[in-house]
Amino acid sequence: MTKKIKENKTFSYINYSLIILFTLAIIIPLLNIVSSSFAGSKALAEENFIFFPSEWSLDNYRAVLNDTSMWSAFCVSVLKTVLGVITHVFFCSMVAYGLSKRYLLGRKVYTILGIITLFFSGGMIPTYLLMKDLHLLNNFWVYIIPQLFSYYDVIILMNFFRQLPDSLEEAAIIDGAGAWRILLTIIMPLSKPALATIALFNGVFQWNDFMTAKLYITTKRTLYPLQMKLYEIIVQQQAATMNNIGNFVVQTTSKGIQLATIVVTTVPILVIYPLLQKHFVSGMMLGSVKE
């Protein structure tokens, strides 16, 4: 018994040590980015600090917040994230509700087709041609329509829906409720943990996505999201470095604006994630159980 207790303690010490190391590996670079975003151009040029720069300044954040294109990109990011999450959750819930019924005609075929999409895709060029034929190039809806469906999220919701008692639907049908009313007023309100899980998945993707804008938004810069603006800043800084520009002020200013933009783009996710974490964990656990 004593030997088993010692083994458990040893395992706990090793486990805690690894967790602390991984945590530090994440926190230290993050703190360095935050502190560097508040550093002046001279401190950034010297690069002799990790947490406490020799010169503190808000110039980087003033440059970001005074840029009207940044506010426009922020609005696009918020709009596409909110609208994308709402439509994605509703569409996946609708599909999952139908597939959760074993009596659905052709259910096995739909399931096989959905599983195929988890492993194979049409590729970048065919997808681009499809977006072109659908007239989604340089169109805000290119952020929304291609992201309506995810079979991975459908699996989570489908397994969650199966765990709800059939008596709830039977009672609603007796009262005269149809399929839409059952889904909207009974199934979805009882599935908040699972819905919060896929909302968080899709919300983080929508907020961080810049490849969609890079590929499909080529002429309307007003449709650029915040992440695309950050990408532009990084590219400009790399171009300045490759061209061997000797003006350190230009390079450090560009780097400072880049760091400030990273912080600004990360804060919304850091604020929202803790609010959904409880539902996220329970939704993943419940949605992973299969009858």
Side-chain angles (χ1 to χ4, degrees):
M1 187 68 179
T2 304
K3 183 179 179 181
K4 188 174 181 180
I5 294 175
K6 290 182 178 179
E7 290 178 352
N8 289 336
K9 287 185 176 180
T10 303
F11 174 78
S12 297
Y13 291 147
I14 295 174
N15 195 21
Y16 290 142
S17 299
L18 291 175
I19 291 174
I20 291 172
L21 288 176
F22 281 124
T23 303
L24 291 176
I26 295 172
I27 291 179
I28 290 177
L30 181 62
L31 292 178
N32 177 257
I33 290 175
V34 174
S35 61
S36 298
S37 67
F38 287 99
S41 58
K42 182 179 179 181
L44 286 174
E46 294 174 352
E47 294 184 345
N48 59 355
F49 68 93
I50 298 178
F51 299 121
F52 303 103
S54 57
E55 177 188 0
W56 295 87
S57 175
L58 294 175
D59 292 341
N60 298 324
Y61 287 94
R62 290 193 186 99
V64 171
L65 297 178
N66 290 333
D67 188 350
T68 56
S69 64
M70 283 290 184
W71 286 104
S72 175
F74 180 79
C75 293
V76 171
S77 292
V78 171
L79 182 60
K80 83 184 188 74
T81 300
V82 173
L83 187 59
V85 167
I86 293 174
T87 54
H88 177 83
V89 169
F90 176 75
F91 193 82
C92 288
S93 299
M94 181 177 60
V95 176
Y97 179 66
L99 292 177
S100 66
K101 305 304 175 185
R102 301 186 186 278
Y103 56 78
L104 178 67
L105 186 63
R107 177 174 170 271
K108 290 185 178 180
V109 176
Y110 302 144
T111 302
I112 292 173
L113 293 176
I115 292 174
I116 290 175
T117 64
L118 295 177
F119 300 98
F120 303 99
S121 65
M124 183 180 295
I125 295 177
T127 303
Y128 180 87
L129 295 176
L130 176 62
M131 296 299 109
K132 182 179 179 180
D133 291 339
L134 293 175
H135 302 287
L136 291 178
L137 298 183
N138 300 301
N139 191 324
F140 175 79
W141 291 103
V142 76
Y143 297 126
I144 308 301
I145 294 177
Q147 305 303 328
L148 284 176
F149 181 80
S150 169
Y151 194 72
Y152 179 81
D153 293 342
V154 168
I155 291 175
I156 294 176
L157 289 174
M158 185 169 55
N159 290 329
F160 191 94
F161 290 165
R162 288 176 182 171
Q163 299 175 37
L164 299 177
D166 294 334
S167 56
L168 292 174
E169 293 188 48
E170 293 171 358
I173 293 173
I174 292 174
D175 291 337
W180 282 107
R181 186 174 179 184
I182 292 173
L183 174 63
L184 296 175
T185 62
I186 297 177
I187 302 300
M188 293 184 69
L190 292 175
S191 306
K192 289 180 181 178
L195 296 179
T197 300
I198 67 170
L200 186 61
F201 280 160
N202 186 256
V204 172
F205 170 80
Q206 284 280 13
W207 185 263
N208 291 331
D209 177 42
F210 77 94
M211 280 301 297
T212 300
K214 190 173 186 298
L215 292 174
Y216 307 124
I217 307 296
T218 55
T219 58
K220 292 187 178 181
R221 296 173 62 88
T222 54
L223 293 178
Y224 278 0
L226 202 56
Q227 297 296 340
M228 189 61 189
K229 293 296 295 182
L230 175 60
Y231 173 80
E232 281 190 330
I233 294 173
I234 294 174
V235 170
Q236 290 172 3
Q237 183 193 7
Q238 291 176 345
T241 303
M242 292 177 63
N243 291 332
N244 296 320
I245 294 179
N247 190 345
F248 281 105
V249 175
V250 174
Q251 296 186 37
T252 54
T253 301
S254 177
K255 181 179 180 180
I257 294 175
Q258 171 190 336
L259 294 170
T261 307
I262 291 174
V263 174
V264 170
T265 56
T266 306
V267 166
I269 297 298
L270 294 178
V271 172
I272 293 175
Y273 183 80
L275 301 177
L276 298 176
Q277 185 178 12
K278 179 178 68 175
H279 296 297
F280 172 76
V281 174
S282 59
M284 283 296 293
M285 295 300 294
L286 292 173
S288 62
V289 178
K290 184 177 180 180
E291 295 179 354

